[in-house]
Amino acid sequence: MQKRRRQPSCKRWTLTLRSRIEKNKRYQKECRSGYLFLLPSLLGTGGFVLLPFLDVFRRSFVRAVGNGFVGMENYRQVLENKAFRLAAVNTVRFMGICLPLLLGLSLLLALLIQRLPRFQKWVKTGFLLPMAIPAASVVVFFRMLFDKRGWLNQLLCLFGFQTKEWLSSGLAFWVLVFCYIWKNLGYDMILWLAGLQAVGEEQYEAARVQGAGEWMCFWYITLPQLKETVFVTGLLSFVNAFRVFREAYLLAGDYPHESIYMLQHLLNNWFVNLDIQKMTAAAVLLVIVVGGVLCAKKSSTS
C-alpha cells in the first residue's frame, strides 16, 4: 500500500505567509529609504539639468528671437556650417586616436605594476600626480615646453635642428593628444588595477599547471573578467576626452589652429555671439550622438 503524503499543516502555511509578508514589508521600507536618500540628487538633477535641457530642445525648433516655429531649419544650418563640420571631424579624430592609446597604455602599465608589489604605492602616486595638478598649471607647463621660444625649441637649436611651430601647425593636435594622455594615464591605470585585483590568483596557477603561457592566461582568464572594467574605464575616458577643451582653450585661445578646433570651441564661440538657434540645435545633436555611443558601449559589454 502506498503511504499517504503528509499534508502541510495550516500552521506551517501561516508561518510561511507571515515571513513572506514581513520580507515584502522590509523590502518596501528599504526602497522608500533609498528613494528618500536619492530625492535631493533627483531634484537637483531635474531642476538644473533636465528642465534646462528640455528648454534647449524646445528652442532648437524655434527662431532665436520670438517663438516662431521653424522645424528642422536650425538643424539644417548647423549641419551645413563649415565650422561645425570641421569641429565634428576634429573631435571624432581626437576620440578615435586618444581613447585606444589611453586604454592600451594604461592597461599595459597596470599589468606591469601588478608585478611590482613592493613599488606599487610610489608608482601609483607618481602617475596620479598629474590628476592633482590644476589644468591651468598643466597648460602653463605645456606652453613653456611647446611655445615658439619654449624649452623644446631651445633644445632643438642647441643641437642644430630647425625649430617648429608646435602650437600653430598640425603638430598642435599631437601636443593636445600628449597632454590628454599624460593627464589621464594614471587615473585609468588605477581603474585597471582595481579590475585586475578582482581576478583570483588560483585561476592563473591552475592554467600554468596545464601549460598555459602568459599570453594565454591574459587572453582567456584576465580579459574576459575585465568586461565591466572596460566599460567603466572607457566611459570615464570618453567623458574626460570632452573636457579636453580646457587645455585646448588655454593653449591656443578662442580660435586655435584648425587641427584642434573642437566642438566645445564652436559652442563657446556661438554662445559669445548669441547664435542661440545654432547652439541649441548643435547641443541636441551632440547629446543624441553621445547617448547613442554610450548605449552602444553598454550593449556591447553586457
Side-chain angles (χ1 to χ4, degrees):
M1 295 178 64
Q2 294 182 353
K3 293 183 179 180
R4 293 183 179 179
R5 295 181 180 177
R6 285 188 178 181
Q7 297 293 331
S9 62
C10 182
K11 185 177 180 180
R12 184 179 176 184
W13 279 108
T14 305
L15 291 174
T16 305
L17 184 60
R18 284 180 181 176
S19 64
R20 289 183 179 179
I21 292 174
E22 289 177 358
K23 286 182 180 179
N24 289 333
K25 286 182 178 179
R26 285 197 299 268
Y27 177 74
Q28 292 175 2
K29 186 177 179 180
E30 290 175 358
C31 287
R32 286 195 295 269
S33 301
Y35 286 128
L36 287 175
F37 280 113
L38 287 174
L39 186 60
S41 297
L42 293 174
L43 291 175
T45 304
F48 294 101
V49 177
L50 295 180
L51 290 179
F53 179 74
L54 291 177
D55 184 61
V56 168
F57 184 75
R58 180 189 65 83
R59 288 175 180 272
S60 67
F61 295 100
V62 298
R63 295 191 184 96
V65 179
N67 293 319
F69 181 76
V70 295
M72 303 297 292
E73 178 63 22
N74 293 334
Y75 292 92
R76 185 188 64 80
Q77 292 181 7
V78 168
L79 294 174
E80 291 179 354
N81 188 279
K82 292 182 178 179
F84 176 80
R85 291 202 294 267
L86 173 64
V89 169
N90 287 338
T91 303
V92 172
R93 181 189 175 203
F94 182 80
M95 296 284 187
I97 292 175
C98 280
L99 292 182
L101 277 176
L102 178 63
L103 294 177
L105 288 174
S106 58
L107 178 57
L108 180 62
L109 276 175
L111 291 170
L112 293 175
I113 291 172
Q114 193 184 26
R115 299 178 179 275
L116 301 172
R118 295 179 59 183
F119 304 100
Q120 274 193 20
K121 292 182 180 180
W122 297 101
V123 176
K124 287 179 184 178
T125 303
F127 278 101
L128 279 176
L129 191 60
M131 292 292 297
I133 302 175
S137 301
V138 173
V139 170
V140 168
F141 170 75
F142 274 89
R143 285 190 66 90
M144 294 174 65
L145 183 63
F146 292 104
D147 192 70
K148 187 176 180 179
R149 298 181 180 178
W151 299 336
L152 192 55
N153 276 338
Q154 291 182 13
L155 189 64
L156 291 175
C157 286
L158 184 64
F159 288 97
F161 294 100
Q162 187 177 2
T163 60
K164 296 182 180 296
E165 296 285 345
W166 297 100
L167 299 177
S168 302
S169 64
L171 294 172
F173 178 81
W174 300 106
V175 171
L176 189 62
V177 168
F178 178 72
C179 179
Y180 168 76
I181 292 177
W182 177 79
K183 189 170 179 61
N184 294 278
L185 186 62
Y187 181 69
D188 282 18
M189 181 193 68
I190 296 299
L191 295 177
W192 286 120
L193 280 173
L196 290 171
Q197 289 173 359
V199 183
E201 185 64 29
E202 62 277 0
Q203 300 181 45
Y204 297 109
E205 293 176 356
R208 292 189 185 102
V209 168
Q210 297 179 8
E214 294 297 328
W215 172 250
M216 293 183 67
C217 289
F218 172 77
W219 187 257
Y220 292 104
I221 298 176
T222 305
L223 204 57
Q225 299 186 59
L226 290 178
K227 286 185 178 180
E228 292 298 327
T229 309
V230 169
F231 173 73
V232 173
T233 309
L235 175 63
L236 293 176
S237 302
F238 182 76
V239 172
N240 287 332
F242 275 98
R243 297 168 57 189
V244 80
F245 165 71
R246 298 176 303 173
E247 287 79 4
Y249 179 79
L250 293 172
L251 275 173
D254 291 329
Y255 297 95
H257 187 264
E258 62 177 15
S259 63
I260 57 172
Y261 189 73
M262 303 292 184
L263 283 172
Q264 293 92 334
H265 285 100
L266 182 69
L267 294 175
N268 182 67
N269 293 334
W270 280 349
F271 178 78
V272 172
N273 296 329
L274 295 179
D275 288 335
I276 304 298
Q277 69 278 11
K278 291 181 181 178
M279 186 177 65
T280 53
V284 172
L285 288 174
L286 186 60
V287 168
I288 292 173
V289 172
V290 172
V293 171
L294 296 181
C295 291
K297 281 188 176 182
K298 180 60 179 176
S299 60
S300 64
T301 55
S302 61

